[in-house]
Amino acid sequence: MKITVVGTGYVGLVSGTCLAEVGNDVLCLDVDPEKIRILEEGGIPIYEPGLQEMVRRNVAAGRLHFTTSIEKAVDHGTIQFIAVGTPPDEDGSADMKYVLAAARNIGRLMTDYKIVVDKSTVPVGTADLVRATVQEELQKRGAQVPFSVVSNPEFLKEGAAVEDFMRPDRIVVGAEDEQAILLMKALYAPFQRNHERLIVTDVKSAELTKYAANAMLATRISFMNELANLAEKLGADIEMVRQGIGSDPRIGYHFLYPGCGYGGSCFPKDVKALIKTAADKAGIDLKVLSAVEEANDLQKHVLTGKIKTYFGDLSGKHFGVWGLAFKPNTDDMRDAPSRTLIADLLAAGATVTAYDPVAIHEAKRIFGDKDGLRYGDSPAACLEGADALVIVTEWKEFRSPDFDVIKAKLRAPVIFDGRNLYDPKFVRAAGLTYLPIGR
Ligand SMILES: NC(=O)c1ccc[n+]([C@@H]2O[C@H](COP(=O)([O-])OP(=O)(O)OC[C@H]3O[C@@H](n4cnc5c(N)ncnc54)[C@H](O)[C@@H]3O)[C@@H](O)[C@H]2O)c1
Ligand SMILES: O=c1ccn([C@@H]2O[C@H](COP(=O)(O)OP(=O)(O)O[C@H]3O[C@H](CO)[C@@H](O)[C@H](O)[C@H]3O)[C@@H](O)[C@H]2O)c(=O)[nH]1
C-alpha cells in the first residue's frame, strides 16, 4: 500500500518504518528540514533501540523515503497518517494546530480518495474537526474528492517503540465507513497474524480510549507513589507491598513501581488534557485525575526533600546524578524528573555532575550553559568530589555497581535512589547510607 506519514517524531518515524518493514511503500514528511536531512543521510534524529537498522534496511530496499515537500507527501499515500505533536497549550488543553495544519494541507492538495488517519493523541471530537478542515479546503477550490477520517491512536512506549509497533497488544481503529475499515484491517493484518488484535470502535470512543489508557497508568503510578511515601513513614517496605498486591491478577505486577514521579511526553500532558476536556466539554471535574497530577508534581520533588532532610543547607554541596532521560532506553527528557531535581539542587546552591548513557546531548540543549551543572562521561566520573549520589533513571548499567568504589569516592557517603534499584541490606552492608523511595 502507498502510505504517507506526516511527522517524523517518535510515533511517525517508528510507524512509517514498521509499515515499510512489512512491505508498504512509505513516504515520511516533516516540516523540520534538519530532521529530514539527518534521515536522508542515513541517521535518525532520536534514540530508539532497533530503529536505526530498520530505517537503513527499508531505505536501502526502496520502501521508505523522506521529504519536506507537502505536495509530494499528499500525492503519495492513499492512507495519510497524521503523527504530529499535540503539546499542551497554556491552559493544559491539547494544542491542535499541528494536526489541523496537516489536515489543511491534505484538503488543499488531494486529487484522489484519501483515508486521513489520526495517530496523534487528540481530544474527543478532533476527527470531526479534521473532517471539517479537509472539507473546507476542498470547498475553497470547488473540488469534490471523496475521503474518510479514521482515529487510530498509538500505544507504543519510547525505548520499546519498534517492538510495541511490530507486536501490538491491540490496534484501535475508530471509523464509521466500511471502505476505511477494510483498508485499515488489510494494513494491519501483518501485525496480528497470531490472533485478532484489531478493535473497531466508533471514532469518539477510539479517541477517548487513548486518554483513558494513559490516565489509568498514570493513576497507578501516583497511587503507588503516595503509598510509598506512607509506607516509609509507617516503617513498612513498599517493595514488599508491591509484590503483595501485584500477585493479585486483578491488580497485576506491571506499572506498579514507585519512583520519583512519572515524566515523558505523554502522561503529564495527556492527564492535563483529559482534565481540561472533561471540564470544558462536559462540565465534569475529574477529581481522581486532578489528584493524580497533583501527587505527581509533588513526587518530582521527593528526592530533593530527602536530600534537604539529610544535609540541611545544600549550598556548596556537590551531587552526582545518574540518569537524565525520563526513563531508560530513550534520550527523551520531556517532563523528566531529572529536570525538577537538577533545578531544585541548583536553586538551593548545590552543584551537580550528571551522567546518562544517551541523553547528555539533550540535557545540554535544555539546560544550556547552566552554572553549577557539569556532565560526566561515565557513572564513576559523577562520583568525583561528590557528597552524595542521586539515582533518577533506572538504566541497566546502574543496576550492579561496585558499592565499595562508591563508598570510597563519596564524601558523605549516601545514595538517594529514586528508582529503588538495590536491596537496602546489601548497600548498607557496604557501609553506605541508602535512602530509596518508600522503604
Ligand atoms: N512519544 C510517544 O511515545 C507517543 C506514543 C503514543 C502517542 N504519542 C502521540 O503521538 C503524537 C506525536 O508524538 P511524538 O512524540 O512523535 O512527537 P514529536 O514531537 O517527536 O514529533 C512530531 C513531529 O511532527 C512534525 N510536524 C509538526 N507539524 C507538522 C506538519 N504540519 N507537517 C509535517 N510534520 C509536522 C514535527 O516537526 C516533529 O518532527 C502526539 O500526539 C503524542 O501524544 C506519542
Ligand atoms: O511502574 C512504573 C512505570 C512507569 N513509571 C514512569 O512513568 C513514565 C512513563 O513511562 P512509560 O509509560 O514506560 O513511557 P512512555 O513512553 O511515556 O509511554 C506511555 O505513553 C505513551 C504515549 O502516549 C503511550 O503510548 C504508552 O502506552 C505509555 O506507556 C516514566 O517516567 C516512568 O519512569 C513509573 O514511575 N512507574
Side-chain angles (χ1 to χ4, degrees), residues 165-425:
F165 196 96
M166 294 304 290
R167 289 180 196 75
D169 299 323
R170 78 297 211 188
I171 300 155
V172 173
V173 170
E176 266 127 45
D177 71 89
E178 274 312 312
Q179 188 176 2
I181 293 171
L182 279 177
L183 263 165
M184 294 304 285
K185 282 189 172 167
L187 178 74
Y188 280 115
F191 301 93
Q192 47 170 346
R193 279 187 37 87
N194 178 264
H195 65 271
E196 180 75 33
R197 294 185 163 105
L198 197 137
I199 302 167
V200 179
T201 70
D202 63 276
V203 173
K204 286 184 174 167
S205 300
E207 290 172 332
L208 186 55
T209 299
K210 174 66 201 178
Y211 283 100
N214 277 359
M216 170 72 90
L217 294 169
T219 302
R220 278 171 75 94
I221 298 169
S222 271
F223 176 76
M224 284 306 285
N225 285 340
E226 283 204 319
L227 272 193
N229 299 339
L230 175 66
E232 199 173 303
K233 291 270 183 243
L234 297 180
D237 181 341
I238 192 65
E239 288 302 323
M240 291 183 182
V241 176
R242 181 179 67 75
Q243 294 190 33
I245 61 174
S247 55
D248 181 335
R250 292 171 301 175
I251 296 175
Y253 290 109
H254 293 296
F255 263 76
L256 275 193
Y257 293 95
C260 47
Y262 61 73
S265 67
C266 295
F267 288 177
K269 100 171 154 58
D270 293 347
V271 166
K272 264 195 184 56
L274 187 54
I275 293 171
K276 188 77 183 131
T277 300
D280 290 357
K281 299 227 176 111
I284 292 177
D285 178 10
L286 293 182
K287 295 185 197 311
V288 172
L289 273 194
S290 298
V292 165
E293 190 185 26
E294 194 189 341
N296 194 56
D297 289 344
L298 290 171
Q299 196 68 11
K300 283 187 170 177
H301 297 279
V302 83
L303 284 170
T304 319
K306 283 171 183 286
I307 294 167
K308 285 186 172 166
T309 304
Y310 186 86
F311 284 107
D313 182 11
L314 297 190
S315 57
K317 294 275 182 269
H318 183 65
F319 294 93
V321 170
W322 284 0
L324 291 162
F326 82 95
K327 62 182 259 188
N329 300 322
T330 181
D331 59 352
D332 198 338
M333 285 184 62
R334 286 179 279 185
D335 271 320
S338 66
R339 295 173 69 158
T340 310
L341 172 82
I342 290 172
D344 282 353
L345 293 178
L346 297 182
T351 52
V352 169
T353 302
Y355 169 77
D356 189 284
V358 301
I360 289 179
H361 74 95
E362 184 61 4
K364 287 183 175 165
R365 193 185 65 76
I366 290 165
F367 288 114
D369 265 338
K370 208 154 189 93
D371 271 355
L373 174 61
R374 293 196 305 269
Y375 301 97
D377 55 12
S378 68
C382 291
L383 307 174
E384 298 298 339
D387 290 280
L389 168 63
V390 193
I391 301 174
V392 187
T393 316
E394 67 276 32
W395 283 94
K396 280 208 175 68
E397 66 184 270
F398 303 153
R399 287 186 187 227
S400 270
D402 185 332
F403 292 114
D404 293 332
V405 172
I406 297 178
K407 179 168 182 260
K409 296 213 172 204
L410 294 180
R411 287 202 193 116
V414 50
I415 300 178
F416 299 91
D417 183 358
R419 296 295 170 189
N420 290 358
L421 294 188
Y422 314 124
D423 180 341
K425 283 198 247 50

